[in-house]
Amino acid sequence: MAHETLITQTEGATLLIRLNRPEALNALNATLMRELVEVLQAADADSAVRVIVLTGSEKAFAAGADIKEMAAKGFADVFFDNLFGAEAQAIAAIRKPIIAAVSGYCLGGGCELAMLADFILASETAKFGQPEINLGIVAGMGGTQRLSRRVGKSKSMDMHLTGRFMDAAEAERAGLVSRVFPAEALIAETLKIAETIAAKSMVTAMIVKESVARAEETSLAEGLLFERRMFHAAFATADQKEGMNAFMEKRRPKFQDR
Ligand code: CAA
């Protein structure tokens, strides 16, 4: 299906989604958010897709919510529309692993979108920021909560209060980004990592995603209980039997996603 603001491409079992509004540095407008949710939900329901990669251009992953679309709105407009609420919840509810591959500007809603992915890979050119304060607003798609959990209160407060940008090296040191690659290698390296994940048992990968996500969403006690129960539940799968038997028999496992 053709999209106005996205380019999608299938690479083996990976769906690569490129944000594509070059005229606005991939700013997140209503059309892009609607199309992105549609594509992600379709991928989640498509058994041929095992991993999703979300990326932008070399210049920008996304420079934030579309300021031109928001500028004239008042409180009641954005409150009644629940601006970004339904979309952010829909993206957070995707059950398959999502990797954000970030080059260039990753600001405001762009940074929040990257944090809605399961982990972030960055190129050396990536610049992260929550500069909403410069527009007289606060982050609205999870930035104050997710950035604080990823990089700690001090750096999160610094980013939100000053609106400064953080480069890829700082983002990796701070734990926002898991690995950094040269810009020209980012997509190829990301696709290799996606392929590694796609080769795992799908059921186990989805259990892992749900469990790690709980670390951010619940208290430690609830998260540990959830993790333990999911750990126990994994013993009900055929892939657990296969994985452990293969280990003991010193051979590669043949997973069936069951
Ligand atoms: N919304 C709409 N249009 C945007 C945009 C945005 N967030 N960011 C960039 N653009 C547009 C520019 O208006 C410009 O369009 P025109 O050529 O028609 O003027 C085009 O993209 C290129 O941008 P610049 O000329 O500004 O490029 P630059 O290289 O000089 O600067 C930049 C790049 C530093 C990223 C700068 O564009 C910028 O500061 N953008 C805004 C960043 C921002 O404030 N993001 C937060 C938005 S609010 C938000 O995201 C709320 C939320 O939490 C949900």
PDB file of all heavy atoms in Angstrom, residues 238-253:
ATOM      1  N   ALA A 238       7.031 -25.213  23.194  1.00  0.00           N
ATOM      2  CA  ALA A 238       7.860 -26.242  22.549  1.00  0.00           C
ATOM      3  C   ALA A 238       9.268 -25.690  22.306  1.00  0.00           C
ATOM      4  O   ALA A 238      10.255 -26.437  22.332  1.00  0.00           O
ATOM      5  CB  ALA A 238       7.216 -26.652  21.223  1.00  0.00           C
ATOM      6  N   ASP A 239       9.359 -24.381  22.081  1.00  0.00           N
ATOM      7  CA  ASP A 239      10.675 -23.792  21.784  1.00  0.00           C
ATOM      8  C   ASP A 239      11.612 -23.845  22.995  1.00  0.00           C
ATOM      9  O   ASP A 239      12.828 -23.905  22.833  1.00  0.00           O
ATOM     10  CB  ASP A 239      10.505 -22.367  21.273  1.00  0.00           C
ATOM     11  CG  ASP A 239       9.990 -22.339  19.840  1.00  0.00           C
ATOM     12  OD1 ASP A 239      10.075 -23.390  19.168  1.00  0.00           O
ATOM     13  OD2 ASP A 239       9.505 -21.289  19.405  1.00  0.00           O
ATOM     14  N   GLN A 240      11.055 -23.816  24.208  1.00  0.00           N
ATOM     15  CA  GLN A 240      11.910 -23.971  25.397  1.00  0.00           C
ATOM     16  C   GLN A 240      12.499 -25.377  25.419  1.00  0.00           C
ATOM     17  O   GLN A 240      13.688 -25.571  25.656  1.00  0.00           O
ATOM     18  CB  GLN A 240      11.096 -23.702  26.674  1.00  0.00           C
ATOM     19  CG  GLN A 240      11.858 -23.967  27.984  1.00  0.00           C
ATOM     20  CD  GLN A 240      11.633 -25.383  28.525  1.00  0.00           C
ATOM     21  OE1 GLN A 240      10.600 -25.998  28.278  1.00  0.00           O
ATOM     22  NE2 GLN A 240      12.613 -25.892  29.236  1.00  0.00           N
ATOM     23  N   LYS A 241      11.669 -26.391  25.099  1.00  0.00           N
ATOM     24  CA  LYS A 241      12.166 -27.774  25.089  1.00  0.00           C
ATOM     25  C   LYS A 241      13.254 -27.900  24.022  1.00  0.00           C
ATOM     26  O   LYS A 241      14.321 -28.453  24.263  1.00  0.00           O
ATOM     27  CB  LYS A 241      11.029 -28.752  24.774  1.00  0.00           C
ATOM     28  CG  LYS A 241       9.867 -28.712  25.771  1.00  0.00           C
ATOM     29  CD  LYS A 241      10.214 -29.379  27.084  1.00  0.00           C
ATOM     30  CE  LYS A 241       9.137 -29.190  28.143  1.00  0.00           C
ATOM     31  NZ  LYS A 241       8.835 -27.804  28.531  1.00  0.00           N
ATOM     32  N   GLU A 242      12.952 -27.358  22.839  1.00  0.00           N
ATOM     33  CA  GLU A 242      13.898 -27.452  21.736  1.00  0.00           C
ATOM     34  C   GLU A 242      15.198 -26.711  22.072  1.00  0.00           C
ATOM     35  O   GLU A 242      16.293 -27.230  21.869  1.00  0.00           O
ATOM     36  CB  GLU A 242      13.250 -26.879  20.460  1.00  0.00           C
ATOM     37  CG  GLU A 242      14.180 -26.672  19.274  1.00  0.00           C
ATOM     38  CD  GLU A 242      14.828 -27.946  18.753  1.00  0.00           C
ATOM     39  OE1 GLU A 242      14.414 -29.047  19.163  1.00  0.00           O
ATOM     40  OE2 GLU A 242      15.782 -27.820  17.949  1.00  0.00           O
ATOM     41  N   GLY A 243      15.059 -25.496  22.613  1.00  0.00           N
ATOM     42  CA  GLY A 243      16.249 -24.681  22.900  1.00  0.00           C
ATOM     43  C   GLY A 243      17.152 -25.354  23.912  1.00  0.00           C
ATOM     44  O   GLY A 243      18.375 -25.418  23.737  1.00  0.00           O
ATOM     45  N   MET A 244      16.574 -25.899  24.971  1.00  0.00           N
ATOM     46  CA  MET A 244      17.398 -26.510  26.022  1.00  0.00           C
ATOM     47  C   MET A 244      17.949 -27.860  25.576  1.00  0.00           C
ATOM     48  O   MET A 244      19.097 -28.198  25.871  1.00  0.00           O
ATOM     49  CB  MET A 244      16.598 -26.609  27.319  1.00  0.00           C
ATOM     50  CG  MET A 244      16.278 -25.224  27.874  1.00  0.00           C
ATOM     51  SD  MET A 244      15.761 -25.265  29.604  1.00  0.00           S
ATOM     52  CE  MET A 244      15.488 -23.498  29.870  1.00  0.00           C
ATOM     53  N   ASN A 245      17.116 -28.612  24.833  1.00  0.00           N
ATOM     54  CA  ASN A 245      17.616 -29.897  24.324  1.00  0.00           C
ATOM     55  C   ASN A 245      18.775 -29.673  23.351  1.00  0.00           C
ATOM     56  O   ASN A 245      19.787 -30.375  23.382  1.00  0.00           O
ATOM     57  CB  ASN A 245      16.498 -30.679  23.629  1.00  0.00           C
ATOM     58  CG  ASN A 245      15.564 -31.299  24.655  1.00  0.00           C
ATOM     59  OD1 ASN A 245      15.963 -31.568  25.791  1.00  0.00           O
ATOM     60  ND2 ASN A 245      14.312 -31.518  24.272  1.00  0.00           N
ATOM     61  N   ALA A 246      18.613 -28.660  22.479  1.00  0.00           N
ATOM     62  CA  ALA A 246      19.671 -28.379  21.503  1.00  0.00           C
ATOM     63  C   ALA A 246      20.969 -28.019  22.216  1.00  0.00           C
ATOM     64  O   ALA A 246      22.052 -28.448  21.823  1.00  0.00           O
ATOM     65  CB  ALA A 246      19.238 -27.246  20.574  1.00  0.00           C
ATOM     66  N   PHE A 247      20.839 -27.237  23.308  1.00  0.00           N
ATOM     67  CA  PHE A 247      22.042 -26.877  24.069  1.00  0.00           C
ATOM     68  C   PHE A 247      22.731 -28.138  24.583  1.00  0.00           C
ATOM     69  O   PHE A 247      23.940 -28.323  24.423  1.00  0.00           O
ATOM     70  CB  PHE A 247      21.680 -25.962  25.241  1.00  0.00           C
ATOM     71  CG  PHE A 247      22.843 -25.700  26.155  1.00  0.00           C
ATOM     72  CD1 PHE A 247      23.792 -24.744  25.820  1.00  0.00           C
ATOM     73  CD2 PHE A 247      23.025 -26.435  27.317  1.00  0.00           C
ATOM     74  CE1 PHE A 247      24.895 -24.521  26.638  1.00  0.00           C
ATOM     75  CE2 PHE A 247      24.124 -26.220  28.139  1.00  0.00           C
ATOM     76  CZ  PHE A 247      25.056 -25.258  27.804  1.00  0.00           C
ATOM     77  N   MET A 248      21.943 -29.031  25.173  1.00  0.00           N
ATOM     78  CA  MET A 248      22.550 -30.217  25.784  1.00  0.00           C
ATOM     79  C   MET A 248      23.098 -31.177  24.729  1.00  0.00           C
ATOM     80  O   MET A 248      24.053 -31.891  24.962  1.00  0.00           O
ATOM     81  CB  MET A 248      21.524 -30.909  26.686  1.00  0.00           C
ATOM     82  CG  MET A 248      21.216 -30.057  27.906  1.00  0.00           C
ATOM     83  SD  MET A 248      20.113 -30.853  29.080  1.00  0.00           S
ATOM     84  CE  MET A 248      18.612 -31.021  28.144  1.00  0.00           C
ATOM     85  N   GLU A 249      22.461 -31.156  23.544  1.00  0.00           N
ATOM     86  CA  GLU A 249      22.917 -32.037  22.463  1.00  0.00           C
ATOM     87  C   GLU A 249      23.976 -31.367  21.591  1.00  0.00           C
ATOM     88  O   GLU A 249      24.369 -31.899  20.551  1.00  0.00           O
ATOM     89  CB  GLU A 249      21.697 -32.459  21.618  1.00  0.00           C
ATOM     90  CG  GLU A 249      20.767 -33.392  22.391  1.00  0.00           C
ATOM     91  CD  GLU A 249      19.350 -33.469  21.798  1.00  0.00           C
ATOM     92  OE1 GLU A 249      19.168 -33.019  20.636  1.00  0.00           O
ATOM     93  OE2 GLU A 249      18.444 -33.943  22.509  1.00  0.00           O
ATOM     94  N   LYS A 250      24.405 -30.175  21.991  1.00  0.00           N
ATOM     95  CA  LYS A 250      25.460 -29.417  21.287  1.00  0.00           C
ATOM     96  C   LYS A 250      25.135 -29.236  19.807  1.00  0.00           C
ATOM     97  O   LYS A 250      25.932 -29.532  18.923  1.00  0.00           O
ATOM     98  CB  LYS A 250      26.827 -30.080  21.482  1.00  0.00           C
ATOM     99  CG  LYS A 250      27.253 -30.165  22.950  1.00  0.00           C
ATOM    100  CD  LYS A 250      28.698 -30.601  23.080  1.00  0.00           C
ATOM    101  CE  LYS A 250      29.088 -30.844  24.535  1.00  0.00           C
ATOM    102  NZ  LYS A 250      28.943 -29.675  25.396  1.00  0.00           N
ATOM    103  N   ARG A 251      23.905 -28.791  19.506  1.00  0.00           N
ATOM    104  CA  ARG A 251      23.494 -28.497  18.123  1.00  0.00           C
ATOM    105  C   ARG A 251      22.715 -27.180  18.111  1.00  0.00           C
ATOM    106  O   ARG A 251      22.380 -26.641  19.167  1.00  0.00           O
ATOM    107  CB  ARG A 251      22.629 -29.634  17.565  1.00  0.00           C
ATOM    108  CG  ARG A 251      21.357 -29.871  18.374  1.00  0.00           C
ATOM    109  CD  ARG A 251      20.454 -30.912  17.724  1.00  0.00           C
ATOM    110  NE  ARG A 251      19.305 -31.216  18.573  1.00  0.00           N
ATOM    111  CZ  ARG A 251      18.187 -30.486  18.646  1.00  0.00           C
ATOM    112  NH1 ARG A 251      18.066 -29.379  17.896  1.00  0.00           N
ATOM    113  NH2 ARG A 251      17.189 -30.806  19.444  1.00  0.00           N
ATOM    114  N   ARG A 252      22.455 -26.646  16.912  1.00  0.00           N
ATOM    115  CA  ARG A 252      21.683 -25.403  16.804  1.00  0.00           C
ATOM    116  C   ARG A 252      20.197 -25.715  16.974  1.00  0.00           C
ATOM    117  O   ARG A 252      19.716 -26.712  16.424  1.00  0.00           O
ATOM    118  CB  ARG A 252      21.887 -24.760  15.427  1.00  0.00           C
ATOM    119  CG  ARG A 252      23.272 -24.174  15.254  1.00  0.00           C
ATOM    120  CD  ARG A 252      23.494 -23.807  13.795  1.00  0.00           C
ATOM    121  NE  ARG A 252      22.745 -22.597  13.444  1.00  0.00           N
ATOM    122  CZ  ARG A 252      23.215 -21.368  13.634  1.00  0.00           C
ATOM    123  NH1 ARG A 252      24.417 -21.192  14.132  1.00  0.00           N
ATOM    124  NH2 ARG A 252      22.502 -20.327  13.279  1.00  0.00           N
ATOM    125  N   PRO A 253      19.455 -24.871  17.685  1.00  0.00           N
ATOM    126  CA  PRO A 253      18.017 -25.144  17.865  1.00  0.00           C
ATOM    127  C   PRO A 253      17.220 -24.889  16.594  1.00  0.00           C
ATOM    128  O   PRO A 253      17.582 -24.031  15.783  1.00  0.00           O
ATOM    129  CB  PRO A 253      17.614 -24.145  18.957  1.00  0.00           C
ATOM    130  CG  PRO A 253      18.607 -23.050  18.859  1.00  0.00           C
ATOM    131  CD  PRO A 253      19.889 -23.660  18.387  1.00  0.00           C
TER     132      PRO A 253
END
